[in-house]
Amino acid sequence: MKTRIWAARSVAAVSGVVLAGALLAPSAVAHSGPDPKKPGKHTSGKKTPAKKKPAKQAPAKPVVDGAQQGQVAGRKCVTSRDVASAVVDYSGSGLFETVFRSATDEQGHAFLNDSRNPGVWINLALVPGAPKCVYDTALAVTEENPGHLYITLLGSNGTLHQATCTSTSSSPFSPANLATACAPGFTELPDTPV
């Protein structure tokens, strides 16, 4: 009987030591990992020739994430592409089924397309007050003739700029008439929560 008690105590003691070792092992293993300051050890037994001085490399281009886009330290505007559209769906309007589209490019330029003028994309910088670096666009249109096209642009500084443009069924938007149709131009919406 004494032998069994002694064996049970021994098993319990060994189990306790193993458990304590298991709890401490992860931090010990993590601590004893490779030292970045020391040269690597090779396990193959082969000697490697001394390393030569690395060739000069061009500096890596900075990675620009969403929080760093726009005018950063004098660099040009960098954004992602964006598209928005609005359509007149009131059949009693002379503008029925007219589609207005807006898009941005990766340099922060915003453009407008009127489906009545296919293939013509108008740079919205022609409208006074447009932000220099546009992240996003949104469009809304009223159903009347003349109707109103609301163009909203999100600038790189987080502010919204809106222009109200008068659209008639007689003349599609073009580079020649957009600034006049959208007079007085873009105005900053106060207290943009972005």
Side-chain angles (χ1 to χ4, degrees):
M1 182 80 171
K2 287 185 179 181
T3 306
R4 289 184 190 160
I5 293 174
W6 180 82
R9 285 183 186 163
S10 296
V11 169
V14 170
S15 297
V17 170
V18 170
L19 179 60
L23 292 174
L24 296 175
S27 62
V29 170
H31 180 69
S32 67
D35 186 357
K37 295 178 185 173
K38 293 184 181 178
K41 294 182 182 178
H42 300 285
T43 57
S44 65
K46 297 179 183 177
K47 288 190 175 187
T48 58
K51 290 186 176 181
K52 294 181 181 178
K53 194 173 185 179
K56 289 187 179 183
Q57 297 178 351
K61 291 184 179 179
V63 176
V64 179
D65 65 13
Q68 296 175 328
Q69 292 178 344
Q71 298 289 343
V72 181
R75 292 190 310 226
K76 64 182 180 178
C77 176
V78 179
T79 66
S80 61
R81 296 178 189 157
D82 179 65
V83 177
S85 64
V87 63
V88 178
D89 63 356
Y90 174 56
S91 62
S93 170
L95 295 166
F96 180 60
E97 293 185 339
T98 300
V99 180
F100 299 102
R101 297 174 186 90
S102 63
T104 61
D105 63 12
E106 291 177 333
Q107 290 80 39
H109 304 116
F111 301 92
L112 177 71
N113 171 258
D114 183 332
S115 64
R116 299 170 295 167
N117 201 354
V120 176
W121 286 86
I122 309 159
N123 189 340
L124 289 173
L126 294 172
V127 179
K132 301 288 184 211
C133 183
V134 178
Y135 274 17
D136 200 357
T137 64
L139 298 175
V141 65
T142 61
E143 306 290 316
E144 298 300 319
N145 185 14
H148 291 98
L149 173 66
Y150 296 93
I151 305 171
T152 306
L153 305 177
L154 174 63
S156 63
N157 63 355
T159 58
L160 291 173
H161 298 78
Q162 186 175 28
T164 304
C165 309
T166 303
S167 59
T168 63
S169 60
S170 60
S171 59
F173 290 128
S174 70
N177 69 9
L178 186 66
T180 304
C182 298
F186 285 96
T187 56
E188 188 175 315
L189 297 177
D191 303 322
T192 304
V194 179

